Amino acid sequence: MSLRITRRDFLSGVAIGAGTSLVAPSQLLAQVGSQASAPEGAASVHYPPALTGMRGSHPGSFEVAHALARDGDKPTEYRELDEHYDLIVVGAGISGLAAAWFYRKKQGPEARILLLDNHDDFGGHAKRNEFHHDGRMVLGVGGAQNLEAPDSYSLIVKGLLADLGIDTKAMAANTSKDFAMANLGANNVLALPAEGGHEIVGSNWALAMHGAGDYTSLVRALPIAPAEQDKLLSLFGGGKDFLDDLSLREKYEYINTVSYSRFLLDRVGLQKETLEVLDAFLRVLNGFTGWNHSVMEALTAAAPGLPGMGWLAGKVHSLAKVVVAGVAFQAQYFPDGNASVARLLVHRLIPAAAPDATGFEDIATSRFVYEALDRDDGDTRLRLSSTVVGVRLQGDEKVEVDYVRAGEALRIAGEHCILACYNRLIPHLCPDLPSRQKEALRYGAKVPLVYANVLLKDGHAFSKLDANLVACPHDPFTMVSCAPITTTGGYEPPRGPDDPMVVLMMASPTPAPQDDESLRDLLRKGRMEVYTTSFETYEERIRDQLQSLLGQHGFDHERDIGAITVNRWPHGYAYFYVSLDDPDWPEGQAPHELGRAQFGRISIANSDAEATPLMDAAIEAGWRAVTEQTLSGQG
Ligand SMILES: Cc1cc2nc3c(=O)[nH]c(=O)nc-3n(C[C@H](O)[C@H](O)[C@H](O)COP(=O)(O)OP(=O)(O)OC[C@H]3O[C@@H](n4cnc5c(N)ncnc54)[C@H](O)[C@@H]3O)c2cc1C
């Protein structure tokens, strides 16, 4: 299986079926809104980015789709709206927004486009969390974090970034070199639970795992037996070939067919408890443990161990260090993550929604007017809180789309439709698709993730950690970071410890396998875990973890936490194939390739259609779908 090496491969990087128990469909259709609460000063204006509480897949956003996917329930009667569009896009994530932009570029600004999304905010995973405290706005990343290795983006994607005025060199210059998520050379530490608060092992844990710096002292500082430390030193530093009894061919076979965790247990001889420490980065980058990565996949995702491969010894050791430093630098951040890309797209598509924005220079600080997204006089309209439940070809001439909004069942028509939503939901939306295609669309399972943003009223305790990226392998949130320290988009990040700051806490709910469960089974379990965990439980975990981490520096969670936003993503990353589970399909026969086939006036976008959980894949999918619809000679 060929691997695409990116930040996620390196560090970082529908089953609608499962979920909370369902209420009756009639009640479902009446459910809208969110349990989230607005922050100080934002009460009267509808402004979703500033809502706190449970966000991401927020209450009110998923119930209609779950009823359809689980029980086949959907309204039987629809009110037909007197609206007709050239293009209807289902899903206003990056893929859907990009598709709308490409279509408009090809067909002209007068093209009539409608985007529908089930959430109360646009951007899909690219969501912004905005906090206000003491007159300052503090931003956080609600989902998709960064432009990962933008130099390697295709011309199509680079072209879109250029259309939006995104200057990745300026982004690099605007980002603090102390921000460890963008620069692994900056201080980052390992934190292990201990009596009286977490024990911190510093100062550059991520590089130490690759044998850089004084890794020996760091490993010797770990609260584990000396014999276990010795094994870690060999793993990190090299000098031993863990596969020395195998021929070159056998080694190649081994690293592609044996899990990384099995390798660590059997070949390195580590204890099971130590494995968790090495899993922290993998879990956050790719969303699951070393048991579901082959050795090869884990190593290309920057898990430690390259030097112990023998056949690449020496060279590989120094290569790993270069990779660690180099790739990390290529990830570019807006202060609210890729939400700024979504905002730039909406700004270009619907200028009235961002009346004061000029573009890249001020996008992060511009206020959006949500009421302007869906105005009668707009050529492009974006309709939120609208869950699509049916998409049908009507003869050769048009496509009919059914959706539910605020409990009402509505029907509209368009010349073309692009499904930029989730692959697994599409067979429920379009039962008329060929069976083989529906089967292919059902193959993947999205990778669940949870990103919590915590507003701290000041940064005194956090700054005493002397590192802004903390691996917490034994905690509910395995990685803790400050929000991006960047001035991109006109943003002013916290200037010092007196200012309020946002802490990003990242969790991967997908469990390790108990027996021979497939990765897709485990991802479904993880999704169930996300849907059945209440905000209160997340809040308790967040407060406990931060108190233990920062308490030794004077932190008092009751006094110092200003707000908490939990972004749960039960349907997170697009499924990407793993060599331990997925066959090597012939060219063009992989499920995502079969699943994305054009169906007359309906095309399929979304990162699922590329089996790649990255922004550039989502954009390319949007481009392909628009190309299909504009070149097909239909309309
Ligand atoms: C926590 C997290 C972190 C990530 N970090 C990065 C990163 O750093 N860099 C990177 O490049 N990528 C990252 N990604 C990957 C991210 O998925 C892609 O970059 C990209 O944002 C996906 O866009 P999309 O439009 O394909 O899908 P989505 O963002 O999922 O958008 C699809 C939209 O369609 C909506 N929809 C689904 N069904 C319906 C329906 N029936 N009716 C109406 N609307 C519907 C969905 O709710 C959603 O809003 C991250 C993802 C997650 C979850």
Side-chain angles (χ1 to χ4, degrees):
M1 183 128 322
S2 67
L3 279 171
R4 195 175 154 193
I5 298 179
T6 63
R7 171 198 64 112
R8 170 152 314 114
D9 292 330
F10 169 66
L11 136 50
S12 15
V14 301
I16 279 260
T20 46
S21 60
L22 284 174
V23 291
S26 55
Q27 282 173 275
L28 275 175
L29 298 183
Q31 283 185 13
V32 277
S34 145
Q35 288 165 4
S37 54
E40 53 178 272
S44 57
V45 187
H46 177 63
Y47 187 63
L51 294 173
T52 57
M54 190 68 97
R55 300 295 295 159
S57 182
H58 59 79
S61 65
F62 57 88
E63 295 83 351
V64 171
H66 279 194
L68 173 66
R70 301 183 85 190
D71 303 327
D73 277 335
K74 62 175 183 172
T76 47
E77 292 190 7
Y78 296 82
R79 181 161 71 87
E80 282 197 32
L81 296 181
D82 186 19
E83 293 179 13
H84 191 95
Y85 297 92
D86 297 315
L87 174 68
I88 298 171
V89 182
V90 180
I94 293 287
S95 194
L97 290 166
W101 175 249
F102 289 133
Y103 188 83
R104 189 185 142 111
K105 265 190 93 173
K106 282 195 172 183
Q107 307 299 90
E110 61 290 341
R112 298 266 301 146
I113 303 171
L114 176 70
L115 293 119
L116 295 164
D117 197 282
N118 57 317
H119 292 102
D120 63 6
D121 199 356
F122 57 80
H125 296 148
K127 283 275 169 28
R128 163 185 175 106
N129 287 171
E130 180 177 321
F131 300 92
H132 293 263
H133 185 75
D134 275 352
R136 284 183 69 84
M137 177 180 75
V138 203
L139 294 178
V141 176
Q145 292 190 27
N146 57 37
L147 314 190
E148 188 168 306
D151 287 351
S152 65
Y153 285 174
S154 69
L155 289 179
I156 290 162
V157 179
K158 283 181 177 162
L160 180 129
L161 298 193
D163 287 347
L164 301 179
I166 294 175
D167 178 349
T168 53
K169 290 201 169 44
M171 291 176 80
N174 292 341
T175 303
S176 166
K177 297 290 175 259
D178 291 334
F179 178 49
M181 295 243 281
N183 172 20
L184 276 191
N187 263 7
N188 64 86
V189 293
L190 172 71
L192 301 171
E195 214 35 51
H198 280 65
E199 189 171 323
I200 306 292
V201 180
S203 57
N204 194 325
W205 176 247
L207 290 187
M209 287 195 296
H210 294 274
D214 186 9
Y215 70 97
T216 308
S217 301
L218 290 193
V219 171
R220 291 291 177 213
L222 291 175
I224 53 175
E228 194 73 352
Q229 293 174 352
D230 291 343
K231 290 172 197 159
L232 278 183
L233 287 175
S234 308
L235 182 73
F236 295 175
K240 178 171 181 195
D241 181 354
F242 293 108
L243 305 177
D244 61 355
D245 57 322
L246 303 182
S247 69
L248 204 55
R249 177 188 281 268
E250 287 166 339
K251 278 180 175 164
Y252 186 76
E253 176 77 8
Y254 183 96
I255 63 172
N256 282 296
T257 56
V258 175
S259 80
Y260 181 60
S261 298
R262 176 56 56 206
F263 161 74
L264 294 176
L265 284 182
D266 292 356
R267 292 284 177 161
V268 184
L270 289 170
Q271 307 278 322
K272 244 185 169 171
E273 301 70 56
T274 312
L275 262 51
E276 273 191 20
V277 175
L278 303 179
D279 260 354
F281 281 90
L282 280 182
R283 293 189 63 171
V284 163
L285 296 185
N286 284 344
F288 41 88
T289 70
W291 288 105
N292 295 105
H293 290 80
S294 67
V295 178
M296 177 70 152
E297 287 162 347
L299 295 181
T300 51
L306 265 177
M309 290 295 114
W311 51 293
L312 286 175
K315 257 189 198 164
V316 170
H317 187 189
S318 50
L319 178 72
K321 281 188 250 172
V322 173
V323 169
V324 169
V327 176
F329 266 120
Q330 288 178 27
Q332 303 304 343
Y333 285 79
F334 284 94
D336 54 1
N338 294 353
S340 272
V341 179
R343 282 161 73 89
L344 282 165
L345 278 161
V346 172
H347 170 234
R348 296 301 300 275
L349 288 163
I350 312 172
D356 306 324
T358 56
F360 174 69
E361 301 296 336
D362 59 3
I363 196 66
T365 47
S366 300
R367 187 129 180 127
F368 273 54
V369 181
Y370 278 70
E371 290 71 22
L373 292 172
D374 188 17
R375 287 204 175 133
D376 290 347
D377 55 356
D379 289 319
T380 300
R381 301 173 69 168
L382 201 169
R383 193 163 294 163
L384 295 168
S385 304
S386 302
T387 305
V388 172
V389 291
V391 178
R392 273 175 317 282
L393 295 176
Q394 277 298 342
D396 294 338
E397 301 283 296
K398 64 173 184 170
V399 185
E400 265 186 358
V401 175
D402 300 337
Y403 69 96
V404 175
R405 183 165 200 269
E408 202 182 356
L410 300 160
R411 175 165 293 162
I412 47 172
E415 303 280 312
H416 305 273
C417 181
I418 289 179
L419 299 174
C421 47
Y422 306 147
N423 269 6
R424 279 189 73 96
L425 188 62
I426 291 173
H428 300 283
L429 303 183
C430 299
D432 299 339
L433 290 176
S435 320
R436 189 166 177 235
Q437 182 172 4
K438 286 194 280 190
E439 196 186 322
L441 286 163
R442 287 192 199 103
Y443 183 83
K446 285 171 97 65
V447 180
L449 292 163
V450 179
Y451 279 15
N453 279 308
V454 184
L455 173 73
L456 303 188
K457 293 177 188 165
D458 65 60
H460 286 286
F462 195 87
S463 65
K464 290 192 184 116
L465 281 176
D466 201 23
N468 56 48
L469 180 63
V470 187
C472 301
H474 303 306
D475 286 284
F477 292 87
T478 42
M479 204 64 72
V480 174
S481 166
C482 66
I485 313 173
T486 176
T487 56
T488 291
Y491 180 62
E492 192 184 342
R495 293 159 299 196
D498 286 341
D499 282 344
M501 67 171 292
V502 168
V503 172
L504 171 63
M505 302 176 73
M506 296 164 261
S508 152
T510 301
Q514 298 297 320
D515 41 47
D516 61 354
E517 294 156 298
S518 72
L519 173 60
R520 289 175 293 149
D521 293 335
L522 296 168
L523 296 173
R524 285 182 202 109
K525 276 192 177 174
R527 183 171 69 235
M528 182 66 99
E529 154 80 17
V530 175
Y531 272 125
T532 52
T533 304
S534 67
F535 175 75
E536 288 67 32
T537 302
Y538 282 125
E539 175 170 6
E540 201 180 315
R541 291 176 186 167
I542 288 164
R543 287 179 182 276
D544 281 354
Q545 188 172 339
L546 283 184
Q547 189 60 45
S548 178
L549 201 56
L550 301 175
Q552 51 206 308
H553 301 304
F555 181 78
D556 174 352
H557 71 93
E558 286 184 354
R559 181 194 62 208
D560 296 331
I561 290 180
I564 298 176
T565 304
V566 173
N567 303 276
R568 61 174 182 192
W569 296 113
H571 305 282
Y573 292 161
Y575 184 73
F576 48 99
Y577 304 123
V578 292
S579 47
L580 298 181
D581 277 4
D582 300 305
D584 228 343
W585 288 279
E587 182 80 29
Q589 297 301 304
H592 71 287
E593 292 168 317
L594 297 175
R596 70 189 181 199
Q598 181 181 358
F599 188 61
R601 288 174 175 271
I602 301 171
S603 281
I604 294 173
N606 186 290
S607 45
D608 287 353
E610 301 292 319
T612 305
L614 289 168
M615 187 186 83
D616 55 321
I619 293 171
E620 278 167 16
W623 168 265
R624 179 189 37 73
V626 167
T627 307
E628 285 169 6
Q629 289 303 315
T630 50
L631 290 184
S632 61
Q634 292 165 319

